[in-house]
Amino acid sequence: MRRAGESIADVWLRNVFLIIVLVFMAAPIVLVVANSFNASSFNAWPPREWTTQWYEKLFSYAPFWHGAMHSLVIAITTTVMTLLVGVPAAFAIARWDFPGRTILRSLIHAPMVVPRVVIGFALFMFFISARLPLYGTWEGIALSHVMLSLPIAVTILSANFINIDPTLEEAARDLGANRVQAFTSAVLPQLRSGLFVAGTFAFITSFDEVETTLFLVSPSLNTLPIEMYHYLEFQQDPMIAAASTVLIVCTLFVVLAALLGGHVSEMRRSLSDGGDTAKAY
Amino acid sequence: MKQHIWWLVTPAALLVVLPFVASLLTIGGHSLVVGDQFGNFDNWSGFLADVFNWQVVWATLRLGFVVTAITVVVAYPTAAALARLQNRVAIAASYTVIFAPLLISVIVRTYGWFLLLSDTGAVNTTIAQIGLGPYRLIYNEKGAVIALVHVLLPFAVFPLLSTFRQIPEHYREAALDLGARRHEVFFKVMFPLSLPGLLAAAEIVFALAVSSFVTPTLLGGGRIIVLSKLIYDNIGDLQWGVASVQALILLAMVTLIVTGFRQLIQLAKLRGGRAS
């Protein structure tokens, strides 16, 4: 649409620029999918022949499957723990002004600013020095992932809590419910979309994490992204493209499932609430 | 404090805040450990005295500057164009293409750039048809810069977009009605109003670019040595004290950058006044 003082040429220029940016953003991802069917093991482009052999190689390549199982266990643990810890913390931060609230909030958000490599290295040193049996275990990796996903989860959840009317909870209390009952019956049902958005973020953050995880894995316990990273250091054949394509399809499913689970319009609201709150920090 | 608030915040404090603070204190302590000795500053003086380390710090900062400059220059008109879109299909498609890559592993996106930029990749074979190239675009800084711009662009578009949405359309119209020329409308009205968003975009891109690891190591093929790679390599060599110093320096760099940008944003908000 044209607006005051704008020529048709301006509108064209703007849209052509946007299209170039969209091509730039989509190109590497489209190419990964196309290349997974490229018969050339040197990724020669354009492909002379098409093949599904890279998927066959992928399905029989055990390290990726072991890694995927570990990643799945870690991502589910991270999601559950992030919500279990994040919901009460976000509730307290959104509802009450208590001593230490500002410090707690900035400490929960701090891992967003600290480089992931530094978090991974520091946790590695902490696990070793404090002789905690967490280095090289899936529990230790999940702990680091909870640390990384909690800031986003608390931001999204506290934005949701602010929109929930406290009088409903008070009414439930007046009718004889205790604090926990009042929370689960009057507050939690309204939190559904926030839980889905925060949970999806936590799951994807954990499943894709490389830079912190790299310091906490052991040779016997690698996650899928770490296995892929090490594979890529030495070879770049299209089996990696096949693995990437499988990952892209899985991500699509996760997002679709989350969209179906939460109501789409509510999710959009809780996302934009989260975005506006994030700016406030 | 009321007791129920304790119960609400204790899990987060114990599970996340405590290990976070403890681990940073651990590397603080370990940076002073040499052999069996504690309170030894050799790791620090060794780092500061070695020219190589300064070169790495400079390479890290330069990568941050170049990537931030390009990303912000691309993101600014992109966000402006997105904010002006009216067609619902175009809006849905553009948002998906720009923001969906955030959900895709950084390894997949980096590998995509490897495919595009390698000697036999799509870019070089396409430009060969018009008689150009081949250009060496991977295993040097060029490839890493291009891929990092791609990875970080959504982070820059997001704050810019919400700033553009807050600028009321009638500000433009008023300026035009009062006789401002088009470049004056941009430089005297729109740009100052969008400056806080621009600075917020630069802040996050810079912080993420100087701490990036996967993209520079995979596309640099060992030729780009940034601070994060140095830390990782030193773990393998069991140089934990040295790695602690490097991690603290990287942390200090990012903290300084973020604090500096936040000061600038406050200034820009005061000078430009908040739109709305």
Side-chain angles (χ1 to χ4, degrees):
Chain A
M1 199 185 71
R2 278 168 70 191
R3 55 183 182 185
E6 223 174 25
S7 66
I8 293 181
D10 292 333
V11 179
W12 266 92
L13 201 65
R14 200 168 62 211
N15 289 338
V16 167
F17 180 81
L18 184 60
I19 289 167
I20 293 173
V21 171
L22 294 180
V23 169
F24 170 77
M25 288 308 290
I29 293 153
V30 171
L31 209 72
V32 164
V33 176
N35 197 65
S36 68
F37 301 103
N38 187 350
S40 155
S41 51
F42 317 103
N43 308 301
W45 195 264
R48 298 236 174 86
E49 276 174 81
W50 301 92
T51 175
T52 54
Q53 62 159 326
W54 304 114
Y55 286 90
E56 286 157 30
K57 189 178 168 194
L58 173 69
F59 286 112
S60 56
Y61 188 72
F64 280 11
W65 291 103
H66 292 303
M69 287 319 291
H70 294 144
S71 288
L72 201 61
V73 171
I74 291 167
I76 291 170
T77 313
T78 302
T79 311
V80 173
M81 290 311 289
T82 302
L83 293 179
L84 278 181
V85 166
V87 169
F91 188 54
I93 287 171
R95 194 55 69 78
W96 293 284
D97 196 0
F98 51 90
R101 177 172 172 257
T102 318
I103 295 175
L104 180 76
R105 195 168 58 180
S106 33
L107 279 174
I108 286 178
H109 283 87
M112 244 186 337
V113 201
V114 178
R116 288 197 173 184
V117 168
V118 174
I119 293 183
F121 171 62
L123 274 175
F124 163 77
M125 294 297 289
F126 174 58
F127 290 167
I128 299 281
S129 316
R131 297 184 201 284
L132 293 169
L134 287 171
Y135 164 72
T137 66
W138 64 268
E139 292 93 339
I141 297 168
L143 174 70
S144 75
H145 291 181
V146 175
M147 200 177 276
L148 298 175
S149 53
L150 194 67
I152 312 163
V154 167
T155 304
I156 293 169
L157 292 168
S158 34
N160 276 250
F161 277 125
I162 287 168
N163 288 330
I164 294 174
D165 190 354
T167 50
L168 273 169
E169 200 191 336
E170 283 158 24
R173 296 263 287 153
D174 290 343
L175 292 169
N178 64 32
R179 276 189 191 281
V180 177
Q181 286 170 332
F183 180 82
T184 48
S185 61
V187 180
L188 214 52
Q190 300 182 67
L191 201 63
R192 187 166 132 160
S193 61
L195 287 175
F196 270 100
V197 175
T200 311
F201 267 112
F203 188 91
I204 290 177
T205 302
S206 168
F207 201 87
D208 289 345
E209 221 299 318
V210 183
E211 298 180 341
T212 294
T213 316
L214 202 52
F215 293 88
L216 302 173
V217 292
S218 62
S220 61
L221 190 126
N222 267 330
T223 64
L224 178 60
I226 303 293
E227 289 286 2
M228 288 173 71
Y229 177 81
H230 288 312
Y231 189 91
L232 266 179
E233 278 185 310
F234 300 106
Q235 49 196 322
Q236 290 88 23
D237 72 35
M239 187 182 89
I240 281 284
S244 303
T245 307
V246 172
L247 270 184
I248 292 171
V249 173
C250 290
T251 312
L252 272 178
F253 274 115
V254 170
V255 174
L256 277 180
L259 284 176
L260 290 176
H263 296 288
V264 177
S265 57
E266 277 178 44
M267 303 232 326
R268 207 182 266 164
R269 200 200 62 213
S270 69
L271 258 180
S272 62
D273 285 352
D276 290 342
T277 324
K279 271 188 312 180
Y281 287 110
Chain B
M1 197 194 301
K2 282 185 203 156
Q3 210 179 359
H4 65 271
I5 298 177
W6 264 112
W7 286 109
L8 293 174
V9 299
T10 306
L14 280 183
L15 192 74
V16 176
V17 173
L18 185 72
F20 175 72
V21 174
S23 59
L24 289 185
L25 290 176
T26 308
I27 56 169
H30 243 282
S31 73
L32 301 174
V33 174
V34 176
D36 296 333
Q37 264 187 313
F38 181 73
N40 186 321
F41 284 85
D42 282 2
N43 291 323
W44 285 94
S45 54
F47 181 89
L48 299 175
D50 191 342
V51 183
F52 173 72
N53 290 318
W54 289 101
Q55 286 169 343
V56 174
V57 169
W58 169 238
T60 309
L61 283 173
R62 193 184 54 206
L63 186 70
F65 279 124
V66 174
V67 169
T68 307
I70 299 174
T71 309
V72 168
V73 166
V74 176
Y76 193 89
T78 305
L82 274 180
R84 299 286 309 148
L85 278 182
Q86 301 285 332
N87 182 311
R88 293 188 65 168
V89 178
I91 291 174
S94 312
Y95 275 59
T96 309
V97 172
I98 289 175
F99 292 110
L102 283 178
L103 303 174
I104 295 172
S105 164
V106 70
I107 293 188
V108 173
R109 288 181 275 163
T110 302
Y111 176 65
W113 281 106
F114 177 87
L115 294 176
L116 275 162
L117 300 176
S118 72
D119 293 351
T120 55
V123 168
N124 271 317
T125 47
T126 309
I127 60 173
Q129 291 180 345
I130 50 171
L132 289 171
Y135 296 109
R136 197 81 225 246
L137 296 169
I138 50 166
Y139 304 140
N140 58 31
E141 212 177 22
K142 289 190 200 90
V145 168
I146 295 172
L148 275 173
V149 169
H150 178 260
V151 169
L152 299 177
L153 191 70
F155 292 100
V157 172
F158 191 70
L160 279 164
L161 196 54
S162 57
T163 309
F164 281 128
R165 286 227 193 90
Q166 283 172 17
I167 304 176
E169 180 63 18
H170 58 252
Y171 280 30
R172 257 182 63 87
E173 288 158 9
L176 285 167
D177 288 346
L178 291 169
R181 290 160 196 233
R182 292 187 46 211
H183 66 269
E184 286 174 328
V185 173
F186 179 74
F187 284 109
K188 292 192 172 163
V189 181
M190 303 310 274
F191 187 74
L193 284 173
S194 62
L195 200 55
L198 184 76
L199 290 169
E203 174 200 317
I204 183 144
V205 172
F206 204 116
L208 291 174
V210 292
S211 13
S212 63
F213 174 81
V214 170
T215 307
T217 51
L218 284 181
L219 283 175
R223 285 186 187 79
I224 302 179
I225 299 173
V226 283
L227 215 41
S228 57
K229 179 177 160 53
L230 223 50
I231 298 170
Y232 182 64
D233 290 348
N234 273 320
I235 307 253
D237 303 338
L238 299 177
Q239 296 283 344
W240 294 351
V242 179
S244 298
V245 171
Q246 289 160 346
L248 289 167
I249 292 204
L250 179 59
L251 177 60
M253 270 164 57
V254 173
T255 313
L256 278 176
I257 293 159
V258 169
T259 334
F261 268 111
R262 297 216 168 149
Q263 296 293 324
L264 285 176
I265 293 170
Q266 288 306 320
L267 270 179
K269 276 185 180 166
L270 285 177
R271 289 196 53 181
R274 292 188 79 165
S276 71

